[in-house]
Amino acid sequence: DAKTTQPNSMESNEEEPVHLPCNHSTISGTDYIHWYRQLPSQGPEYVIHGLTSNVNNRMASLAIAEDRKSSTLILHRATLRDAAVYYCILLTQGGSEKLVFGKGMKLTVNP
Amino acid sequence: DVKVTQSSRYLVKRTGEKVFLECVQDMDHENMFWYRQDPGLGLRLIYFSYDVKMKEKGDIPEGYSVSREKKERFSLILESASTNQTSMYLCASSFRGEVWAGKFYEQYFGPGTRLTVT
């Protein structure tokens, strides 16, 4: 199974954009890139997902490299509420719906 | 708003007790999941149910069983609680995806139950 790697942590400042990287160098053509985040003392929540094209929603944008070996979650204006652990997860077409959470990346947002 | 509720936020049980953790969702989701989360180990899937009375083992099913008698309710059972089952337990639900087409639905998580076994 293709795996993802993320930095252990990142810091950003409030109201500035933040780019959260994820490497998935062994990704296959049928792997979808999903992002979840977990706010302190809460269960994870879905953020965004994509396959090849960049995606936008009300929470974030997902930029996927042309070779798909990496992707970047973009928070356009970080707020204190965005401080969380972010997980980059691959789900395979035709495979299981089970999410496999890695260690994720802790984002700290400074006021 | 989708709601996934868990019966207790905090629970303290003694070693050897039978423990029931209940999860209820109100969105008519087919899929329901139980995870546990431990420091340094992240979230790990215990069991998964894709329909009433159907279940599938996750990555760490040992020491646990599950029950899904109704679509909205998924119970996690610790037959004989042990101290190494002290953990945060998280329930989630989702619509059943069309995985053959690459269509996956987001999972909605409950607030978690912090179980301490003494």
Side-chain angles (χ1 to χ4, degrees), chain A residues 30-32 34 36-38 40-47 49 51 58-59 85 87 89-104, chain B residues 9 31 33 35 37 40-45 48 50 56-59 90 94-112:
Chain A
T30 54
D31 286 334
Y32 287 72
H34 288 242
Y36 279 75
R37 72 179 184 180
Q38 187 172 18
S41 302
Q42 294 188 29
E45 63 178 358
Y46 167 82
V47 178
H49 78 277
L51 180 64
R58 63 176 178 80
M59 288 180 74
V85 178
Y87 299 94
I89 299 167
L90 300 181
L91 289 173
T92 304
Q93 181 176 341
S96 172
E97 295 178 85
K98 295 179 276 192
L99 297 174
V100 178
F101 288 86
K103 298 202 169 145
Chain B
R9 199 78 164 97
N31 294 339
F33 308 82
Y35 297 85
Q37 185 168 28
L41 295 174
L43 281 111
R44 293 175 293 167
L45 182 67
F48 163 42
Y50 50 91
E56 192 174 304
K57 290 180 181 178
D59 300 317
L90 290 150
S94 74
F95 288 115
R96 185 182 305 141
E98 296 164 26
V99 294
W100 55 271
K103 190 171 179 66
F104 299 95
Y105 289 96
E106 62 183 281
Q107 289 187 23
Y108 292 86
F109 283 78

Side-chain angles (χ1 to χ4, degrees), chain B residues 56-108:
Chain B
E56 192 174 304
K57 290 180 181 178
D59 300 317
I60 50 163
E62 298 77 21
Y64 303 94
S65 62
V66 289
S67 172
R68 188 143 179 228
E69 297 295 320
K70 292 186 177 181
K71 191 174 185 180
E72 67 271 17
R73 189 179 296 269
F74 191 34
S75 303
L76 181 69
I77 304 156
L78 288 65
E79 294 289 342
S80 177
S82 64
T83 54
N84 64 13
Q85 292 177 309
T86 291
S87 186
M88 171 68 84
Y89 289 87
L90 290 150
C91 175
S93 71
S94 74
F95 288 115
R96 185 182 305 141
E98 296 164 26
V99 294
W100 55 271
K103 190 171 179 66
F104 299 95
Y105 289 96
E106 62 183 281
Q107 289 187 23
Y108 292 86

